[in-house]
Amino acid sequence: MRTDVHAHLWSEDYLRLLESYGRRDAAAHRGLGAGDRPQELDARFAMNDAAGIDHQILSVSPQGPYSPDIRQAVTAARHANDHYAALVRDRPARFSAFAALPLPHLDASLEELARALDELGMAGAGVTTDVLGRSLGDPASTPLLAELDRRGGVLSLHPSGHDAGSPLIAAHRMRWMVGAPPPTPTVRTGCCSVPISPTGAVNSCAGPCRSSRRPSRPSGPSRC
């Protein structure tokens, strides 16, 4: 089975919710064929079949449910995760999903991570390379990363679209020109890190995945 580990789907309800919280870039993700309307799903599956892709692991990145307001962040994260869980239940052969987390609120994120993995059966967690301008390398992220490590969980990292904090990238409009300039997103499992093509190309890793819901292991050479 060939699995696309870099796949997005945003419902109109989710984008409107983010906009109601003041998100200004949500509209850019409309009209891309990445919604949940029946015709969009049919077109997605037809393209996947033509490309030989059997399964996709969905994430809402880079439209993460981040907000300084904990209530907004939690509401958006739960909305996204419940929606993805329903899609996976309806189409288990086609979809798995990475959980959205209500960062930067650590306790709420740990609680939602547990719900997503233990109750919703998600494949792991998906976050962006920075959250409201704060790098995941910040010590504040350590408890979340430690919990994922304790679980042997999967973490999907996606570019945030903030020019890696570089005025050179921003000034020359190179945000997505050559994929996503550093940092490159990865999926981290208990044994390996796998680069994910910013174009959505399928990448693979033959190492074990010890998350609560195991994504199907894709074919192809190991990059462990």
Side-chain angles (χ1 to χ4, degrees):
M1 177 180 285
R2 180 170 291 179
T3 297
D4 176 4
V5 298
H6 184 181
H8 301 302
L9 188 151
W10 302 281
S11 71
E12 180 62 24
D13 286 345
Y14 180 68
L15 294 177
R16 286 179 178 174
L17 181 62
L18 295 182
E19 288 174 331
S20 75
Y21 295 157
R23 186 73 59 84
R24 296 180 178 180
D25 58 351
H29 295 87
R30 291 190 176 96
L32 303 178
D36 62 348
R37 295 180 301 170
Q39 59 267 40
E40 290 176 299
L41 294 176
D42 288 345
R44 176 192 292 260
F45 298 150
M47 287 190 290
N48 286 349
D49 291 344
I53 296 171
D54 304 295
H55 194 82
Q56 290 185 309
I57 308 181
L58 304 174
S59 70
V60 297
S61 300
Q63 288 296 325
Y66 312 138
S67 172
D69 185 315
I70 186 171
R71 291 172 296 178
Q72 292 180 356
V74 169
T75 297
R78 290 180 67 91
H79 179 104
N81 293 335
D82 288 343
H83 178 233
Y84 274 180
L87 287 170
V88 172
R89 283 195 302 268
D90 290 344
R91 300 169 179 83
R94 289 289 193 176
F95 291 139
S96 298
F98 291 126
L101 300 178
L103 293 168
H105 311 286
L106 180 60
D107 289 343
S109 293
L110 290 170
E111 182 176 342
E112 184 62 14
L113 177 67
R115 187 181 82 94
L117 299 184
D118 299 337
E119 298 179 24
L120 302 182
M122 290 192 156
V127 299
T128 50
T129 46
D130 71 85
V131 175
L132 302 183
R134 176 176 288 182
S135 166
L136 288 181
D138 190 288
S141 300
T142 298
L144 174 62
L145 300 178
E147 175 61 11
L148 281 163
D149 192 56
R150 183 188 72 81
R151 288 173 170 269
V154 178
L155 178 64
S156 169
L157 298 180
H158 190 283
S160 63
H162 296 152
D163 309 309
S166 169
L168 295 176
I169 294 174
H172 295 284
R173 304 177 66 183
M174 294 178 62
R175 178 176 298 171
W176 306 116
M177 182 177 254
V178 286
T184 297
T186 64
V187 167
R188 181 181 183 276
T189 69
C191 81
C192 59
S193 294
V194 186
I196 302 176
S197 165
T199 63
V202 177
N203 299 275
S204 59
C205 175
C209 176
R210 299 194 300 272
S211 65
S212 59
R213 177 185 179 92
R214 298 187 179 188
S216 301
R217 190 176 297 173
S219 61
S222 171
R223 290 181 172 85
C224 295

PDB file of all heavy atoms in Angstrom, residues 156-170:
ATOM      1  N   SER A 156       3.992  14.939  12.938  1.00  0.00           N
ATOM      2  CA  SER A 156       4.133  15.510  11.604  1.00  0.00           C
ATOM      3  C   SER A 156       4.401  16.998  11.748  1.00  0.00           C
ATOM      4  O   SER A 156       3.619  17.716  12.369  1.00  0.00           O
ATOM      5  CB  SER A 156       2.837  15.299  10.800  1.00  0.00           C
ATOM      6  OG  SER A 156       2.860  16.056   9.603  1.00  0.00           O
ATOM      7  N   LEU A 157       5.498  17.453  11.173  1.00  0.00           N
ATOM      8  CA  LEU A 157       5.862  18.872  11.200  1.00  0.00           C
ATOM      9  C   LEU A 157       5.664  19.458   9.809  1.00  0.00           C
ATOM     10  O   LEU A 157       6.141  18.912   8.826  1.00  0.00           O
ATOM     11  CB  LEU A 157       7.318  19.060  11.625  1.00  0.00           C
ATOM     12  CG  LEU A 157       7.705  18.581  13.021  1.00  0.00           C
ATOM     13  CD1 LEU A 157       9.179  18.858  13.267  1.00  0.00           C
ATOM     14  CD2 LEU A 157       6.855  19.263  14.072  1.00  0.00           C
ATOM     15  N   HIS A 158       4.982  20.589   9.753  1.00  0.00           N
ATOM     16  CA  HIS A 158       4.681  21.231   8.480  1.00  0.00           C
ATOM     17  C   HIS A 158       5.157  22.677   8.525  1.00  0.00           C
ATOM     18  O   HIS A 158       5.051  23.334   9.566  1.00  0.00           O
ATOM     19  CB  HIS A 158       3.169  21.196   8.244  1.00  0.00           C
ATOM     20  CG  HIS A 158       2.755  21.614   6.872  1.00  0.00           C
ATOM     21  ND1 HIS A 158       2.720  22.938   6.464  1.00  0.00           N
ATOM     22  CD2 HIS A 158       2.351  20.884   5.811  1.00  0.00           C
ATOM     23  CE1 HIS A 158       2.306  22.995   5.211  1.00  0.00           C
ATOM     24  NE2 HIS A 158       2.079  21.770   4.778  1.00  0.00           N
ATOM     25  N   PRO A 159       5.677  23.216   7.432  1.00  0.00           N
ATOM     26  CA  PRO A 159       6.064  24.632   7.430  1.00  0.00           C
ATOM     27  C   PRO A 159       4.892  25.516   7.821  1.00  0.00           C
ATOM     28  O   PRO A 159       3.748  25.262   7.434  1.00  0.00           O
ATOM     29  CB  PRO A 159       6.480  24.886   5.974  1.00  0.00           C
ATOM     30  CG  PRO A 159       6.804  23.549   5.416  1.00  0.00           C
ATOM     31  CD  PRO A 159       5.918  22.573   6.121  1.00  0.00           C
ATOM     32  N   SER A 160       5.189  26.533   8.581  1.00  0.00           N
ATOM     33  CA  SER A 160       4.122  27.435   9.023  1.00  0.00           C
ATOM     34  C   SER A 160       3.793  28.494   7.980  1.00  0.00           C
ATOM     35  O   SER A 160       2.753  29.158   8.078  1.00  0.00           O
ATOM     36  CB  SER A 160       4.542  28.132  10.324  1.00  0.00           C
ATOM     37  OG  SER A 160       5.680  28.942  10.097  1.00  0.00           O
ATOM     38  N   GLY A 161       4.653  28.682   6.991  1.00  0.00           N
ATOM     39  CA  GLY A 161       4.424  29.714   5.988  1.00  0.00           C
ATOM     40  C   GLY A 161       4.809  31.099   6.457  1.00  0.00           C
ATOM     41  O   GLY A 161       4.315  32.093   5.929  1.00  0.00           O
ATOM     42  N   HIS A 162       5.705  31.158   7.429  1.00  0.00           N
ATOM     43  CA  HIS A 162       6.127  32.453   7.983  1.00  0.00           C
ATOM     44  C   HIS A 162       7.563  32.794   7.614  1.00  0.00           C
ATOM     45  O   HIS A 162       8.270  33.463   8.350  1.00  0.00           O
ATOM     46  CB  HIS A 162       5.946  32.447   9.501  1.00  0.00           C
ATOM     47  CG  HIS A 162       4.517  32.317   9.925  1.00  0.00           C
ATOM     48  ND1 HIS A 162       4.135  31.748  11.110  1.00  0.00           N
ATOM     49  CD2 HIS A 162       3.368  32.680   9.296  1.00  0.00           C
ATOM     50  CE1 HIS A 162       2.819  31.748  11.207  1.00  0.00           C
ATOM     51  NE2 HIS A 162       2.331  32.320  10.121  1.00  0.00           N
ATOM     52  N   ASP A 163       8.000  32.281   6.469  1.00  0.00           N
ATOM     53  CA  ASP A 163       9.305  32.652   5.893  1.00  0.00           C
ATOM     54  C   ASP A 163      10.482  32.263   6.775  1.00  0.00           C
ATOM     55  O   ASP A 163      11.568  32.845   6.658  1.00  0.00           O
ATOM     56  CB  ASP A 163       9.372  34.158   5.606  1.00  0.00           C
ATOM     57  CG  ASP A 163       8.184  34.640   4.794  1.00  0.00           C
ATOM     58  OD1 ASP A 163       7.905  34.035   3.747  1.00  0.00           O
ATOM     59  OD2 ASP A 163       7.523  35.597   5.226  1.00  0.00           O
ATOM     60  N   ALA A 164      10.278  31.272   7.651  1.00  0.00           N
ATOM     61  CA  ALA A 164      11.332  30.819   8.555  1.00  0.00           C
ATOM     62  C   ALA A 164      11.940  31.990   9.328  1.00  0.00           C
ATOM     63  O   ALA A 164      13.094  31.949   9.738  1.00  0.00           O
ATOM     64  CB  ALA A 164      12.423  30.065   7.786  1.00  0.00           C
ATOM     65  N   GLY A 165      11.171  33.057   9.490  1.00  0.00           N
ATOM     66  CA  GLY A 165      11.653  34.220  10.221  1.00  0.00           C
ATOM     67  C   GLY A 165      12.729  34.999   9.483  1.00  0.00           C
ATOM     68  O   GLY A 165      13.415  35.831  10.078  1.00  0.00           O
ATOM     69  N   SER A 166      12.878  34.758   8.187  1.00  0.00           N
ATOM     70  CA  SER A 166      13.959  35.394   7.426  1.00  0.00           C
ATOM     71  C   SER A 166      13.444  36.530   6.561  1.00  0.00           C
ATOM     72  O   SER A 166      12.603  36.317   5.682  1.00  0.00           O
ATOM     73  CB  SER A 166      14.640  34.357   6.525  1.00  0.00           C
ATOM     74  OG  SER A 166      15.509  34.993   5.606  1.00  0.00           O
ATOM     75  N   PRO A 167      13.940  37.755   6.747  1.00  0.00           N
ATOM     76  CA  PRO A 167      13.525  38.860   5.869  1.00  0.00           C
ATOM     77  C   PRO A 167      13.980  38.654   4.431  1.00  0.00           C
ATOM     78  O   PRO A 167      13.369  39.189   3.502  1.00  0.00           O
ATOM     79  CB  PRO A 167      14.191  40.083   6.501  1.00  0.00           C
ATOM     80  CG  PRO A 167      15.324  39.535   7.302  1.00  0.00           C
ATOM     81  CD  PRO A 167      14.875  38.196   7.796  1.00  0.00           C
ATOM     82  N   LEU A 168      15.028  37.859   4.214  1.00  0.00           N
ATOM     83  CA  LEU A 168      15.485  37.599   2.849  1.00  0.00           C
ATOM     84  C   LEU A 168      14.461  36.774   2.079  1.00  0.00           C
ATOM     85  O   LEU A 168      14.182  37.034   0.910  1.00  0.00           O
ATOM     86  CB  LEU A 168      16.833  36.876   2.875  1.00  0.00           C
ATOM     87  CG  LEU A 168      18.007  37.676   3.456  1.00  0.00           C
ATOM     88  CD1 LEU A 168      19.261  36.814   3.503  1.00  0.00           C
ATOM     89  CD2 LEU A 168      18.260  38.937   2.628  1.00  0.00           C
ATOM     90  N   ILE A 169      13.892  35.782   2.728  1.00  0.00           N
ATOM     91  CA  ILE A 169      12.863  34.978   2.079  1.00  0.00           C
ATOM     92  C   ILE A 169      11.623  35.818   1.833  1.00  0.00           C
ATOM     93  O   ILE A 169      11.039  35.798   0.746  1.00  0.00           O
ATOM     94  CB  ILE A 169      12.535  33.743   2.934  1.00  0.00           C
ATOM     95  CG1 ILE A 169      13.751  32.803   2.992  1.00  0.00           C
ATOM     96  CG2 ILE A 169      11.311  33.007   2.394  1.00  0.00           C
ATOM     97  CD1 ILE A 169      13.573  31.632   3.929  1.00  0.00           C
ATOM     98  N   ALA A 170      11.213  36.590   2.830  1.00  0.00           N
ATOM     99  CA  ALA A 170       9.999  37.398   2.705  1.00  0.00           C
ATOM    100  C   ALA A 170      10.159  38.468   1.627  1.00  0.00           C
ATOM    101  O   ALA A 170       9.256  38.677   0.804  1.00  0.00           O
ATOM    102  CB  ALA A 170       9.669  38.045   4.046  1.00  0.00           C
TER     103      ALA A 170
END
